[in-house]
Amino acid sequence: MSRTWLIAAILPALTACAIPEEDFPEEYGKQNCKRLQECNEDLFEEFDDMEDCTDAYADLMEPLLDLADLAGETYDPDGARDCITNLKRADCGDWEDGDFTCDLTL
C-alpha cells in the first residue's frame, strides 16, 4: 500500500467538515440522541424513535441560535464541528453534566 493512498484514505476522517449554521440543530439533535440512548435509555424511550428525538432536540437548538444571532454573535462553523466532536467523545457522566466544550460563536 502506498503512503500517498493511505494519507488520502484517512485525511477526510482527520479533517471533518465545518458545520453550517442551518445544519447544526439537526447534527446536534442526532448526536445528543445517540448519547441519550446510550446514557439514559429510559428517557430515550419516551420518544417514538431516533428521528422523533432528533427533531425534538433540533427544535430546542434553533431558538438558541436565533437568540445568539439577535445578540450580534457570529456563528462559528468550526466551533460547531468541535462541539459535535466533543459531544461524541464525552463519557456519560460528562454528557449528563453538560461537561464538554460547545462554543458556537467566534
Side-chain angles (χ1 to χ4, degrees):
M1 176 184 308
S2 78
R3 188 174 290 187
T4 303
W5 183 87
L6 181 60
I7 291 170
I10 64 171
L11 191 58
L14 297 175
T15 58
C17 297
I19 301 173
E21 186 171 2
E22 62 271 9
D23 295 342
F24 182 76
E26 184 175 346
E27 290 296 322
Y28 181 83
K30 229 184 281 187
Q31 189 55 48
N32 199 54
C33 289
K34 287 178 183 178
R35 298 314 306 267
L36 182 63
Q37 186 178 34
E38 175 187 346
C39 300
N40 191 336
E41 191 171 343
D42 290 339
L43 184 57
F44 176 78
E45 288 184 3
E46 291 184 19
F47 295 98
D48 293 335
D49 55 22
M50 184 63 78
E51 184 178 348
D52 183 42
C53 179
T54 298
D55 290 345
Y57 279 98
D59 288 348
L60 291 173
M61 184 55 66
E62 287 174 4
L64 296 175
L65 292 174
D66 291 342
L67 285 173
D69 286 342
L70 287 173
E73 299 289 334
T74 302
Y75 176 81
D76 180 11
D78 293 323
R81 176 201 58 227
D82 294 343
C83 172
I84 297 300
T85 299
N86 293 336
L87 180 55
K88 288 178 182 179
R89 292 179 180 165
D91 63 29
C92 286
D94 289 341
W95 174 79
E96 288 171 353
D97 295 338
D99 193 15
F100 57 90
T101 304
C102 196
D103 189 3
L104 303 178
T105 60
L106 295 172

